[in-house]
Amino acid sequence: MVHSSLRALCVTGFALAMLIVRPAVAEMRPLSEAERAAVQIAAGYLSRGPAAVYEQLSASSPLRRLDQAAALQEIEARLGPPTGASWELQTVVPALQEKNAVFTIEFPSGFDDTVIWDFTQENGAWHIDDVRILALESARTQVFPPLPKKSAAAVDEEEKKSEPPYGLLLLAGIAGVGLAAGAAFIENEALTRPMVAGGALILLGTAAFAFKSDERFSLAPPPPPPVAEKKESGYPKLATLLPLRRALAAGEDVETLKASLPKKGRAADVATLWIAEADLQQMKIKAVKEALKRFPSPSNVPLAEVLRARVALFENDEAAAAIAYEHAVNLGPGRDGLWYETAQSLRTLGFEDRASGYLARLDKIGSRRADVYYSLSILSATTNKLDDASRQLKEGWKLRPAAREEIVSAAVLWSVLRRADAVQTISLSTPDEAVVPSSVAGSRAIVFPLEAMTNISGEYLHVQIGEQELHVPGGACLAPIGTPIVEASTWAKSEEKRGLDDVAQLMPHARNTAVYAQPALRSRIVRAANALGTRNRWPELVQLTDGLAPTSEHVPADLFFLRSVALQRLGRDAEAKQLLMSLASGRVLQRKRDVQSLTTLAELLASFDLYDDAIKTYDRAQTIRQQPFVDDRVRQLEMNKRLATKYTTMTTPHFEIRYPADVAENFAKEIANVLEGEYARLQKWIPTPNFQPVVVNILWWREFRATYTGTDFILGFYQSRKITIPYAGIGRLEPPLVAILSHELAHALIAQATNDHAPRWFQEGFAQRIEMVPYHENAFNMYTDDRLLAVSLLDAVLTGSPDPEMITEAYVLSQTLLRYVEAKYGTAGLTKMLASFREGATTEEAIRQLSGQSMAQFDVAMRAWGRSASRVFENPPPLRYDIAANSGFTTQQQEGRGPLRGGNLATPQGNKP
C-alpha cells in the first residue's frame, strides 16, 4: 500500500508538472476587498466631494497630519472636481490588488488623469493611506530595455528566451514523481526512504525554481530599483494648484492663473505637466516640448513620459513614442488602462508583436476590461486559433456583453459565432438583445449615495450620480440587490446619444489637430462624428471636421473618410476628391502602416473614378501586408478605367450607357428602352423626382465573371453610382434578365431617394421585392425560428459577414420583412420608411415611426404573422419588353454568344477578354 504522505507527494508533483506544462488560462479576477472599499469611497466622492475621502483616510496617512481644511484641498487638487467627471476602475496586477486601487478620470473638458489610492487595513477595515497622481514621481525607475534599439520581434524573441525552461522543469517534476512513486513498490525500507526523500527534494527544488522564475506565482511585486534622489523632502503639497485643477477640468483659460503658480518644487512640476497637457489640446507643441525639458529623459514621472509619447505621436516619431509609452508603463503601478492604450498606440505605429504582447499580459493578469478580450478574440481568429478566440469572445461577453451587430460586424469572428459553444452564449436568432445576468450580482453589495442610479450588464456595473459617472468593470457583485440588468445594446445607444450631446461642446476643439493626442478627447470627437454620420447630419459633420489637415498623423483616418462622405452628400464633390487625393499623396497612412485605412481610402478614391490613385493606394497596402483579394480588386479598377475611357457611350434622360465597340448600337438602345421603362414603373414604389443620371456598364459575360465576381451566381451589381451587368451579346431581354436589371436599378433609386442612407437590409429587401418574377421566397417557409436571424442583425450580416449561408438567410428575410410591412401598412408603409431613412433615422427609429413598436416587438409581431399561415408570395405577370410591339430591338445573337435564361448565366463560348 502506498503511504498517504507518498500519495500526497505524487499528487502534488503531478499537479505541479501539469501547471508547468500548460500555462494558466486567466479569468476575470474578482475585486479585492481594497478595491471594493475604493468603489464605495469613489461613489461618495462623486456625490459629496473631498469629505468622503477624508473620512476614509488611515490614521497613518500623511494627509491626516494636515488640518482638515487643508487636507480637503489637497484631496481635491489630486482628484479634481467631481462635477461632471467620469471615473473608471482599472485592474492592477495581482500583487497590488490589496495595496492599490487605480481610477482613470475624464473631466468635462476632455482633460484626463489617473489616480492611485494606496490602501492599508486598520481594525478590519480598509482605509486610504495616500492619494497619488501621475504628475508626481514614481518610486520605480526604468526596467525595460529601450524598444527602438531592437525590433519589436527581436524584443519578443528575447522575452521568449528568458521564460522559465518549462520543458526541463516538466522532466524534473516527472522524475521526482517517478522516483517517489517507485518507492511504493520496493519492500526494502532502506531504499524506500532515500527514494522518497530524493523525489521530494527534486520536486521542492523544481517548485522553488518555478515559483522564482514564473511571474504567475509571484506574490509580491519585484523589489523596485533604487529610488532616484528627490528634488525635495516631505509630503508634496498641491493645494496651491486647486484653482488650476478646477479651470483645466472645466476647460477654462488658465493664462491668468500662471502668475500665481509655484515656480519651483514638486507643485511647480505638477503644474507644468498639467498646463503642458492643456497646451497639447491647443496644438502648442513648442510649449509642451519646452515644458518637458524640465524633466530628464527618461524621468520617473509617469505623466511626463505619457506626454512625451503623445507629442512624439503628433510629430510622427514612432520610435520616440514607443520608448516613452514603455517608460510610462515601467514606472507602474501595473494596470490595464495604460497597457491597453500602449498596445493600441504600438499597433498603430507598426509594433504589432509588442502590442500583442501587452494584450496577452492583460489576459494574464485577469483584466476586467471587456474590450481586451474582444480584441484578443479577433487576433486569435485572425490566426485561426478558434478555441482561443471562442474562449476570449465568451469572456468579453461575460464581462460586458456588446451589441450583437458589433460582434457580427467583426467579420473575422464569423467562424467563431457558428461554433456550437458560441451559439449557446450569443444567439443570433432571438429578437431581443441579450440581457446577461451575473451569477454574483449583489453578493458583496455596498451602500451607494441615495441619488445614485445603478445598472449592470454581465459583470459590469454602471453608476450614475447626477452628472457624474462611475464605471466598475467586474463590479456587478457590488450592486445593490434589485439593480436592473440592461440589455447589451444599451451601451451602444448610450454612446451614440453621448456623441450627439457632445457635438456642440466639441465644435471649438475638434478643428485643432493637437487635441487628438489626448486619448479621451480624441475618442469623444470620433464618437460624435460617427453619431452625426449615422444620423445623416452631414452639415454638422463637415463643420466638426473643418480645419483638420490630412498631414496630421494622430488624427484618426476615419474622420477624414467621414468628412469626404459628408462633402459628397452635400454636393461638394470637388472638395471631397481633393481631401482624398491629399490623403493618398501624403505620408500619414503609409507611416501608420494601417492596411485597413489604406483599403478604405482606395475604395473612396475609386468611387470618384480616381482609378490611378486608387490602384497606387492598394499597391501601398500590399507592400505592408499581402492581401489575396487586392490583385483581383486592382484588375476591377483597371477595368473600370477602361469602361470610362474606351467604351462607346449612349446617353438617355436618366442613364449613361457604356458598351463595347463590338456590340451593336441597336442593342444598347434596347437596354436603354428597358431602363427607362423600369424607371417609370418603379416611381410608384421609389419616387425620385430629382433623379441624377446613373452610369450603366455592359460587359461580356466572361469578362464580367473573370474581372468582378469569379462566380456564376452574381448576375449584376450596383456600386459607386454605377450599374454593371454582363449583357453584351445577349439575344433577348427576357423577364429574368429584366428582373436583374430592375434589381440593380432599384439600388440606384433607393440610394438617391434616401440620400444614400438606407441600410443594406432595406436596399436588398426592396430591390428583391420589385423584381418581376413569378414568386418570391418566404423566409417562414424556409427557416425554423432558431435559424431565423434577428431583424436587428440583418444589416450587420449583409455588410460584415463573409458566411454565404448567413448572407442568403439575410437576403430572404429582408424581402420577407418588407412583404410584412406591405401586408400590414400597404405600399404607403414602404414609402414612409424611405422618408424616415432620408431624414437620417436608424432602422429602429424607422420601424418605431412606422409601427409604434421597438425593433424587438416588431420582430416578434412579424414572426407571429409569418407563422400564422403558409404564404406563397406570388406576383402578377411581368412586362414583356422583349416582345413589345414598339420594341426597336434587333437580335444581336452572335455566334457563340448565347442568351441568358431563367436568371442564370450560361457561360458563352468564345467571349472576347
Side-chain angles (χ1 to χ4, degrees), residues 534-536 757 759 836-846 849:
T534 299
R535 298 310 183 97
N536 224 6
H757 194 66
S836 294
F837 290 130
R838 183 172 59 250
E839 296 303 316
T842 62
T843 293
E844 183 164 12
E845 289 168 341
Q849 291 167 11

Side-chain angles (χ1 to χ4, degrees), residues 193-462:
R193 289 181 177 177
M195 290 176 70
V196 172
L201 285 173
I202 292 173
L203 284 172
L204 290 173
T206 303
F209 188 86
F211 273 81
K212 180 178 180 181
S213 59
D214 192 332
E215 64 180 337
R216 290 177 289 146
F217 305 104
S218 177
L219 300 178
V227 179
E229 183 179 353
K230 296 183 178 180
K231 294 182 179 180
E232 62 182 78
S233 60
Y235 188 72
K237 296 181 181 179
L238 306 180
T240 55
L241 304 182
L242 186 52
L244 175 65
R245 186 65 143 164
R246 290 171 176 169
L248 291 172
E252 299 170 356
D253 183 55
V254 299
E255 286 299 321
T256 58
L257 298 174
K258 289 182 178 179
S260 60
L261 296 175
K263 299 300 185 293
K264 60 181 181 178
R266 280 179 289 188
D269 290 344
V270 170
T272 298
L273 290 173
W274 285 352
I275 292 173
E277 186 173 353
D279 284 342
L280 192 57
Q281 287 185 338
Q282 300 175 40
M283 209 167 24
K284 300 177 181 177
I285 304 302
K286 183 177 180 180
V288 178
K289 295 174 74 172
E290 190 64 32
L292 290 174
K293 290 180 180 179
R294 185 181 184 115
F295 305 88
S297 180
S299 73
N300 65 343
V301 180
L303 184 55
E305 299 308 308
V306 169
L307 291 178
R308 281 197 175 102
R310 294 173 181 175
V311 168
L313 197 62
F314 174 81
E315 294 188 326
N316 308 330
D317 190 342
E318 308 98 313
I323 291 174
Y325 268 121
E326 294 221 350
H327 285 167
V329 166
N330 296 338
L331 289 171
R335 61 193 189 279
D336 58 357
L338 182 58
W339 289 358
Y340 190 66
E341 178 185 335
T342 302
Q344 289 179 308
S345 298
L346 290 176
R347 188 177 182 188
T348 299
L349 297 169
F351 295 98
E352 296 276 355
D353 294 339
R354 195 68 171 170
S356 298
Y358 275 107
L359 286 175
R361 184 186 299 185
L362 291 169
D363 186 8
K364 201 171 192 179
I365 70 168
S367 172
R368 297 182 284 264
R369 190 179 181 124
D371 47 6
V372 166
Y373 298 93
Y374 290 129
S375 297
L376 283 167
S377 180
I378 290 172
L379 286 174
S380 296
T382 302
T383 55
N384 208 33
K385 297 176 181 176
L386 299 186
D387 288 339
D388 289 342
S390 180
R391 174 185 71 83
Q392 291 154 347
L393 178 61
K394 289 187 288 186
E395 186 66 19
W397 182 264
K398 173 186 172 184
L399 288 172
R400 182 177 176 179
R404 291 175 297 175
E405 63 178 321
E406 295 179 9
I407 296 176
V408 171
S409 295
V412 72
L413 293 177
W414 74 273
S415 54
V416 180
L417 291 172
R418 284 298 200 182
R419 289 167 58 109
D421 55 342
V423 169
Q424 293 174 0
T425 303
I426 307 174
S427 169
L428 303 183
S429 61
T430 54
D432 291 297
E433 283 295 325
V435 176
V436 180
S438 166
S439 61
V440 297
S443 59
R444 301 167 64 194
I446 61 177
V447 178
F448 287 99
L450 291 177
E451 71 272 27
M453 298 176 62
T454 59
N455 54 53
I456 56 177
S457 183
E459 300 299 331
Y460 172 82
L461 169 66
H462 177 261

Side-chain angles (χ1 to χ4, degrees), residues 515-539:
V515 305
Y516 295 91
Q518 290 277 8
L521 200 54
R522 179 174 65 233
S523 176
R524 288 175 62 191
I525 295 169
V526 171
R527 180 179 64 198
N530 282 324
L532 291 172
T534 299
R535 298 310 183 97
N536 224 6
R537 289 164 59 173
W538 306 117

Side-chain angles (χ1 to χ4, degrees), residues 528-841:
N530 282 324
L532 291 172
T534 299
R535 298 310 183 97
N536 224 6
R537 289 164 59 173
W538 306 117
E540 291 168 273
L541 180 51
V542 168
Q543 186 181 358
L544 182 73
T545 55
D546 269 341
L548 294 183
T551 55
S552 300
E553 184 164 345
H554 51 286
V555 177
D558 285 348
L559 279 183
F560 295 117
F561 300 152
L562 280 169
R563 178 175 174 82
S564 73
V565 172
L567 290 169
Q568 181 183 346
R569 295 290 190 274
L570 297 176
R572 296 161 61 178
D573 286 12
E575 293 175 71
K577 285 184 182 180
Q578 184 57 51
L579 174 60
L580 295 173
M581 292 173 67
S582 297
L583 281 171
S585 61
R587 301 174 58 206
V588 174
L589 295 184
Q590 188 174 16
R591 287 174 62 86
K592 284 188 176 181
R593 302 177 64 80
D594 185 346
V595 173
Q596 182 59 50
S597 292
L598 286 170
T599 300
T600 302
L601 175 59
E603 287 304 310
L604 287 170
L605 288 165
S607 72
F608 283 103
D609 295 347
L610 299 171
Y611 300 119
D612 290 336
D613 292 307
I615 291 169
K616 288 178 183 177
T617 303
Y618 264 127
D619 288 342
R620 286 164 54 191
Q622 286 293 78
T623 62
I624 298 171
R625 185 172 70 244
Q626 288 289 316
Q627 300 178 96
F629 78 91
V630 169
D631 290 339
D632 291 336
R633 184 57 181 143
V634 168
R635 281 195 294 272
Q636 293 171 8
L637 295 177
E638 289 171 341
M639 183 65 199
N640 289 348
K641 180 180 177 181
R642 181 181 162 199
L643 289 168
T645 58
K646 304 296 184 182
Y647 273 41
T648 305
T649 299
M650 174 182 291
T651 303
T652 74
H654 299 102
F655 304 96
E656 179 184 309
I657 301 170
R658 300 171 180 170
Y659 58 98
D662 52 356
V663 169
E665 181 182 1
N666 207 37
F667 176 71
K669 289 180 179 179
E670 181 65 16
I671 293 282
N673 290 338
V674 173
L675 284 167
E676 290 292 349
E678 284 299 277
Y679 170 80
R681 180 179 74 87
L682 295 182
Q683 286 305 296
K684 89 164 187 179
W685 294 92
I686 314 165
T688 50
N690 299 313
F691 187 76
Q692 299 299 308
V694 168
V695 171
V696 180
N697 295 316
I698 302 173
L699 278 72
W700 292 103
W701 160 244
R702 192 174 74 181
E703 201 167 43
F704 177 87
R705 187 187 190 281
T707 304
Y708 290 106
T709 68
T711 176
D712 291 342
F713 303 104
I714 299 177
L715 313 178
F717 58 86
Y718 172 80
Q719 184 182 46
S720 301
R721 297 172 287 184
K722 300 177 183 67
I723 294 171
T724 302
I725 48 175
Y727 284 12
I730 296 305
R732 298 173 65 85
L733 284 175
E734 297 177 349
L737 303 181
V738 173
I740 296 168
L741 199 58
S742 301
H743 183 107
E744 305 310 332
L745 175 56
H747 281 305
L749 291 167
I750 294 167
Q752 294 199 28
T754 64
N755 199 15
D756 219 4
H757 194 66
R760 180 73 179 274
W761 74 264
F762 185 82
Q763 294 178 29
E764 296 299 348
F766 213 152
Q768 292 173 83
R769 174 63 189 93
I770 57 81
E771 292 173 353
M772 290 189 294
V773 294
Y775 71 94
H776 286 112
E777 295 168 314
N778 183 345
F780 295 105
N781 297 339
M782 300 174 65
Y783 306 110
T784 56
D785 267 0
D786 63 336
R787 282 291 305 278
L788 206 63
L789 289 167
V791 170
S792 61
L793 295 181
L794 289 176
D795 219 49
V797 169
L798 288 170
T799 57
S801 175
D803 183 351
E805 184 179 359
M806 190 184 291
I807 292 172
T808 298
E809 294 171 24
Y811 265 90
V812 176
L813 182 57
S814 296
Q815 185 269 140
T816 302
L817 189 159
L818 291 186
R819 283 280 186 171
Y820 169 64
V821 170
E822 189 179 355
K824 190 169 181 62
Y825 304 99
T827 55
L830 300 177
T831 304
K832 185 171 183 178
M833 294 190 78
L834 282 167
S836 294
F837 290 130
R838 183 172 59 250
E839 296 303 316

